[in-house]
Structure formats: C-alpha cells, structure tokens
Amino acid sequence: MKSVLALCAALGLCGCALLPMDERHGAATIETFKQSIQCEIAAVATDPRFAHFQLSKWLVKTSLDMTLIDTLSGDAKATVPIPNPTLPNIFPGGSLSGKFTHTGHVDFAVSIPEAIAIYGDKCQGPDPSQTHLGLADWIAATLDQIRPENHGGLSYTVDVDVIASVGSRFGFVFSIVNTVDSSAGYQREGVHHLVVTMSEPTPPSGPLAVRVVGPVRVVDSRPVRQPQLQPDASSGQQGEVTPEPPHVASKPRVRRAPQLPYRNPALEDPNLNRMLQQQAPVRLAPGTVLR
C-alpha cells in the first residue's frame, strides 16, 4: 500500500503545472534566464575593449525551449482509483508506467541599455553572472576577432538545466548535466534549449525602383470650369460671369487606430529571426531514425 501511495503522490506532482515556478528546486522560469542573460551582456557592453562596437545600440533576441520529462513506474498491490481521467486505474498485481514530456517555448527581447543600467557595475570579471552560462566569454571571444564593419551578428546556443546554488549571485547555476529527481517510481528530468542572438539593427529597406514599360502620358484629370456668358441688361451685350466656386463637401471624419503598446524592434528584426531559425532544435516523431 505504501508503494501505491507513493505512486499517487508522484502522479499528483506530475499534474501540478506545466513547468515548476520555483528555481530553488531546480526549476526554470523566464526570469531565471533573463537575469543571467542581462548580467552577461552588461559585462561585455561596459568593457572598454569593445567600446568601438557601440553594443548599447545592438538588439538582442532570445529563444527558450523549456522541457520537463516525468517518468512513472511502479507496482501496485491494491485497487486504487486515480482521480485523473487521462490515466487508468491500478488493479491488484498490475503495474503502471508512463512518460510525460512538457515543453514550453517563448521568444523575448533583452534591452542592452536596460541591462547596463541594472547590472553595469555589478557584473564584471569571468563568469559575471556566476551561473556558468558562458555567454559573456563567447561574446568577448567573438568581438576580439571580428571588426565592426565585418560583423553580421552572433548567436549562442546551449542546452542546460537549472540547479539551486546558495553561493551564486542569483541563487542558481546552469549545468549541462540533466538533473534527475528520483523517488518511489517517479523521476523528473529537465533540459532547456537556450539561444541568444545579437546584432546591429537591420537598416530599413529603401524605395524600390520602378521601371515604366511602354508609352505613358500623364494627363491632368481635374475638371476645368469654363466661364459662362450671359447678356448684359444695360448694354444688351454679353458679359463674362465668374462662376461660383463649387460646393466643397465636408471632410469625412477619420477614425484613428488605437495606439499600440511599444514593441522592442528586436522582435521583428529579420537578421535575428534568421539566426534563431538556424539554431532551432530538430524535433523528431517517435520511431524516426536519422540515416
């Protein structure tokens, strides 16, 4: 019976939420990654060695895939109804096993001026965020080798898991080894695919050249009003009468579109979107084999 209760508890944990919201237990939140990314970028943007790149004017866009895998297994010795319509009941002598994969995806922009204002004088030195992310080292190594006029942007991709750490700056570190929480018949494994892209803003496209083919004649389509003549009563001759100005209709009232909230230009930058697509994870259907 104890094994059944343990299994029920595991099922309850599995159905709580898509992703845990407490990084102290090794879970991942968007704020978890945003803080570390801002800290790492601020460390490079305030480095005098890279002042000629003017990183404060660059755009940053991040793609994050958060995945949790719950594995259930165990044997039951009693009939226990599970209050979950998606799972079967446990019968005497039977066993229950299953694998549940939860994946969440989000794209978000990071403002470099905001990152400098928050972490500019706090995040310095090697591993500035103290999370083992490695983003600052990669950006610095890339900028060391490429000049501004030859730089088309950079991207950094890493698959990590979040592990609680009391001594670190943000209370957690990133690890390339997946964390597995084990209990009686229950395992939880996490892996998070993180892509950070940076580049100068893509300049707006100029006007397109239009080529006119064939003879074209520009004609003024506005109507011309001719003066009207009518007889003069005093002399009996016809005189010129200036026509009255045409009636001008009132202008229609134009309804303005509602003011949209501000959107970071990094969200629509074509260069950043191109780099994110290049680093997107390849998802295979069950049973698919690459040859």
Side-chain angles (χ1 to χ4, degrees):
M1 189 64 182
K2 292 182 179 180
S3 61
V4 175
L5 295 178
L7 184 57
C8 292
L11 291 173
L13 291 174
C14 177
C16 289
L18 178 65
L19 292 172
M21 300 304 293
D22 189 357
E23 60 268 14
R24 292 176 301 177
H25 297 89
T29 64
I30 298 176
E31 189 67 19
T32 298
F33 292 92
K34 180 181 177 181
Q35 290 177 349
S36 57
I37 292 172
Q38 286 181 322
C39 181
E40 299 271 325
I41 291 178
V44 182
T46 56
D47 194 326
R49 297 178 299 167
F50 310 116
H52 57 290
F53 280 92
Q54 299 182 353
L55 295 178
S56 60
K57 298 181 180 180
W58 284 34
L59 301 178
V60 180
K61 187 176 181 180
T62 300
S63 174
L64 175 61
D65 289 273
M66 298 180 289
T67 303
L68 290 178
I69 301 175
D70 295 312
T71 303
L72 303 177
S73 62
D75 295 328
K77 301 301 181 182
T79 302
V80 180
I82 304 298
N84 191 327
T86 62
L87 297 177
N89 293 338
I90 301 177
F91 294 97
S95 63
L96 174 66
S97 63
K99 184 177 181 180
F100 304 88
T101 302
H102 317 284
T103 301
H105 175 86
V106 62
D107 292 338
F108 60 92
V110 174
S111 170
I112 296 183
E114 180 182 349
I116 296 175
I118 298 175
Y119 300 107
D121 56 347
K122 301 177 183 178
C123 297
Q124 303 294 333
D127 192 16
S129 65
Q130 300 179 10
T131 60
H132 306 163
L133 181 61
L135 176 61
D137 292 338
W138 165 250
I139 298 175
T142 304
L143 299 183
D144 274 336
Q145 303 299 323
I146 301 179
R147 292 178 298 179
E149 62 270 19
N150 298 330
H151 201 291
L154 59 89
S155 63
Y156 181 75
T157 304
V158 62
D159 292 317
V160 297
D161 191 27
V162 183
I163 300 177
S165 176
V166 179
S168 63
R169 182 185 302 276
F170 299 113
F172 59 86
V173 296
F174 295 122
S175 174
I176 59 175
V177 180
N178 296 339
T179 300
V180 178
D181 298 330
S182 301
S183 61
Y186 170 72
Q187 287 184 338
R188 164 161 285 184
E189 180 181 358
V191 58
H192 311 293
H193 184 77
L194 177 67
V195 182
V196 181
T197 59
M198 295 178 56
S199 74
E200 293 181 287
T202 302
S205 58
L208 299 177
V210 178
R211 182 180 179 184
V212 180
V213 180
V216 177
R217 180 181 179 185
V218 180
V219 179
D220 189 357
S221 59
R222 292 177 298 177
V224 179
R225 297 181 61 87
Q226 299 293 337
Q228 298 179 0
L229 299 178
Q230 65 180 15
D232 189 351
S234 59
S235 60
Q237 298 178 354
Q238 291 184 345
E240 181 176 332
V241 178
T242 303
E244 296 182 357
H247 176 70
V248 179
S250 59
K251 295 183 178 180
R253 181 177 298 178
V254 179
R255 301 182 62 182
R256 296 184 178 180
Q259 189 70 21
L260 298 177
Y262 169 77
R263 285 177 58 87
N264 193 305
L267 299 176
E268 308 297 338
D269 189 86
N271 191 33
L272 296 181
N273 290 334
R274 176 185 59 82
M275 289 190 290
L276 286 178
Q277 291 177 357
Q278 291 176 340
Q279 300 299 327
V282 178
R283 304 187 186 280
L284 301 177
T288 304
V289 179
L290 294 179
R291 299 185 183 276

